[in-house]
Amino acid sequence: MKRTPSPDKPRAPHPPRPPRPPRPRAVQSHEVRIIGGQYKRSKLQVADKPGLRPTPDRVRETLFNWLGQDLSGWRCLDAFAGTGALGFEAASRGAAQVLLIEQDAALVAQLKRVQEQLTATAVQVLRGDGVAAMRHACAGSLELIFLDPPFDSTLFESAVQAAAPALAVTGFVYLEAPRRWLDAELHGLGLQLHRHLRAGMVHAHLLRRIDVVADSAG
């Protein structure tokens, strides 16, 4: 006598697996290199921080072609130092004094490490407000001022306004911005465009005092 096979019993469903906790996002970093002068090819770490955007190599190369490769004796201030790429490029080309101002404590510590590694005695790193530092600078005391605020900030106008009085008669302001600044805007702040370059989303401006431009034109 054949037995009728009993129907398979339904298997109990597996309990759902708990979702995996998200992995903590590692802090990414990359490097840029100093492109000229005494510290040529030295590496600068670029931390993965919001708003931190080192000046592209092509733009830095063009900037220092505009300025000349020898900055011996120049007094410089980088109001939004970040990685320090601009300031260390200036020191690499012989600048006598380079003041790097940065508000982020971790970036300040990194800038100080680079300064020590390079034995860049002309470079001084301070944590603070770059706009305030320019306002406290002696009138006409700086040959070169770097202005590269975060592109999403509202600091551009106040930074340019603070830079103009601190600029030496024959000095330059380098302004890096997400748009081109018009002469009408600059004239109201006592400055005029000397050179301009667009590289992707970056507008690089080299500015001079209006009175110098007027004298040279006359």
Side-chain angles (χ1 to χ4, degrees):
M1 180 176 176
K2 293 182 179 180
R3 295 183 178 179
T4 305
S6 58
D8 293 337
K9 294 181 179 180
R11 296 181 180 179
H14 292 291
R17 293 181 180 180
R20 292 181 180 180
R23 294 181 180 180
R25 184 170 177 260
V27 175
Q28 303 293 325
S29 66
H30 59 281
E31 298 172 340
V32 296
R33 291 177 183 266
I34 296 175
I35 58 176
Q38 177 183 357
Y39 309 127
K40 185 176 180 179
R41 297 189 182 90
S42 297
K43 298 177 182 178
L44 304 177
Q45 294 293 322
V46 181
D48 184 16
K49 284 182 171 286
L52 185 61
R53 173 195 40 75
T55 300
D57 288 0
R58 175 196 165 195
V59 175
R60 277 186 287 134
E61 183 176 7
T62 300
L63 170 61
F64 286 95
N65 286 337
W66 289 342
L67 294 170
Q69 300 300 319
D70 184 1
L71 305 188
S72 296
W74 288 32
R75 296 157 296 176
C76 311
L77 184 148
D78 189 345
F80 307 92
T83 64
L86 292 171
F88 284 116
E89 289 281 5
S92 186
R93 290 164 168 80
Q97 298 174 14
V98 180
L99 181 58
L100 304 182
I101 310 292
E102 174 55 52
Q103 286 191 320
D104 186 281
L107 292 178
V108 169
Q110 181 171 291
L111 290 168
K112 289 182 176 180
R113 284 194 296 270
V114 173
Q115 187 269 340
E116 292 172 359
Q117 290 166 4
L118 297 177
T119 321
T121 55
V123 176
Q124 182 182 7
V125 180
L126 293 178
R127 185 182 182 190
D129 183 333
V131 174
M134 289 186 289
R135 287 173 178 162
H136 286 93
C138 294
S141 62
L142 299 168
E143 279 78 29
L144 181 57
I145 299 173
F146 298 111
L147 302 179
D148 185 13
F151 274 10
D152 60 353
S153 76
T154 58
L155 295 169
F156 286 92
E157 184 171 353
S158 60
V160 174
Q161 188 172 33
L167 195 62
V169 172
T170 57
F172 297 91
V173 173
Y174 171 71
L175 171 64
E176 192 167 310
R179 66 171 180 86
R180 179 166 182 160
W181 275 56
L182 304 176
D183 279 339
E185 298 174 280
L186 295 168
H187 288 176
L189 300 171
L191 296 168
Q192 183 163 316
L193 185 65
H194 181 62
R195 295 280 190 274
H196 174 263
L197 167 72
R198 180 175 182 179
M201 300 298 292
V202 172
H203 286 264
H205 311 71
L206 193 62
L207 312 176
R208 299 191 72 183
R209 285 172 41 165
I210 286 179
D211 51 358
V212 175
V213 177
D215 289 345
S216 61

